[in-house]
Amino acid sequence: MSLVLDNVSYSYPGSTQGLHEVSLDVRTGELVAVIGPSGSGKSTLLKLVSGLETGHAGRIALDGEDLSHTPVHRRHIGMVFQSYALFPHLDVLDNVAYGLKLRKVPAEARRRRARELLELVGLGEFAARAVARLSGGQQQRVALARALAIDPRALLLDEPLSALDASVRGHLRDQIRAIQQRFNATTLLVTHDQEEALTMADRVAVLKDGRLLQIAAPREIYERP
Ligand code: ADP
Ligand code: ADP
């Protein structure tokens, strides 16, 4: 249940087809990896769910609520991008607290919540640091803490590990998966990395030319002759 796409299509202005009749159910707490070649519609899928692109045909629903007319900040969706997309002028704590501030959570409560999440991702000591003075892996853990701080109804991870060194990637993969399970977060993970899909995903959705070709357990997807 939880995140449901029913026959979703989307064309970019000038008629580039982004998605074509995609239907997909992500259950509560499930992590679905979205794979497919460049241009297959992975980013488009995430942008439609997040509300960064609007005007799709078909239905996108979160916990039964049709999102067609729900603006980005009311969707209550946590996002993590390949490029971290942290606010460079804010320190680590204020980055994590940002979404809570937007939602008018009082200052003391949001600092407390942000601290909790920083502890959870192992960055408790870095609260007052400028984000530019963190490593890539640390910045991505801040981004994850920020995404989770709002108690999201769904989590969208857009190639969260692909900018990182291989040495950091393995550890962070396990950490993100453990935290995602602990939060029982309904999650879409866009990735190009087979190892990532195999170790993190409950199911893998394969896109090609804007269509959903297949959705199945990771082993079924990758262990074909
Ligand atoms: P990646 O495969 O690394 O995700 P994309 O091919 O999705 O990269 O492109 C990255 C950005 O460029 C996205 O924000 C996407 O919306 C935009 N983009 C991709 N294709 C086009 C296009 N034909 N015209 C305009 N913008 C595009
Ligand atoms: P992926 O993330 O899998 O690389 P995208 O969702 O970015 O794929 O792209 C799907 C299709 O939509 C591609 O044909 C791409 O060129 C096109 N597209 C993506 N973003 C834009 C955009 N902003 N404007 C026009 N076409 C786009």
Side-chain angles (χ1 to χ4, degrees), residues 84-92 94-96 98-99 130-132 146:
Y84 324 130
L86 298 174
F87 305 112
H89 58 292
L90 300 180
D91 67 19
V92 166
D94 285 343
N95 263 276
V96 176
Y98 183 82
V131 293
R146 181 179 63 182

Side-chain angles (χ1 to χ4, degrees), residues 12 38-39 42-43 47 82 159 192:
Y12 286 96
S38 191
K42 305 181 297 295
S43 306
K47 285 182 204 164
Q82 176 177 354
E159 299 192 47
H192 284 113

Side-chain angles (χ1 to χ4, degrees), residues 27-170:
R27 293 183 291 266
T28 301
E30 188 180 27
L31 190 152
V32 171
V34 181
I35 67 168
S38 191
S40 59
K42 305 181 297 295
S43 306
T44 302
L45 175 64
L46 290 200
K47 285 182 204 164
L48 289 175
V49 173
S50 64
L52 295 175
E53 295 281 2
T54 54
H56 59 273
R59 183 166 181 271
I60 301 177
L62 195 50
D63 299 325
E65 178 195 344
D66 188 328
L67 294 182
S68 304
H69 303 291
T70 312
V72 177
H73 66 285
R74 293 207 196 287
R75 292 188 181 204
H76 237 79
I77 290 175
M79 288 181 264
V80 176
F81 303 95
Q82 176 177 354
S83 54
Y84 324 130
L86 298 174
F87 305 112
H89 58 292
L90 300 180
D91 67 19
V92 166
L93 188 83
D94 285 343
N95 263 276
V96 176
Y98 183 82
L100 299 173
K101 191 171 183 184
L102 277 187
R103 289 168 178 80
K104 314 241 185 287
V105 174
E108 192 45 48
R110 62 179 192 254
R111 273 197 290 274
R112 203 179 323 120
R113 179 73 179 143
R115 277 187 201 290
E116 264 171 36
L117 282 149
L118 284 172
E119 293 293 337
L120 185 79
V121 299
L123 291 175
E125 303 130 73
F126 294 86
R129 191 173 281 210
V131 293
R133 294 184 50 238
L134 298 178
S135 71
Q138 289 170 334
Q139 290 192 48
Q140 203 52 308
R141 282 146 66 197
V142 174
L144 180 67
R146 181 179 63 182
L148 291 167
I150 61 164
D151 290 316
R153 295 192 292 177
L155 199 54
L156 304 179
L157 310 177
D158 192 356
E159 299 192 47
L161 303 175
S162 57
L164 303 172
D165 294 343
S167 57
V168 184
R169 224 181 284 144

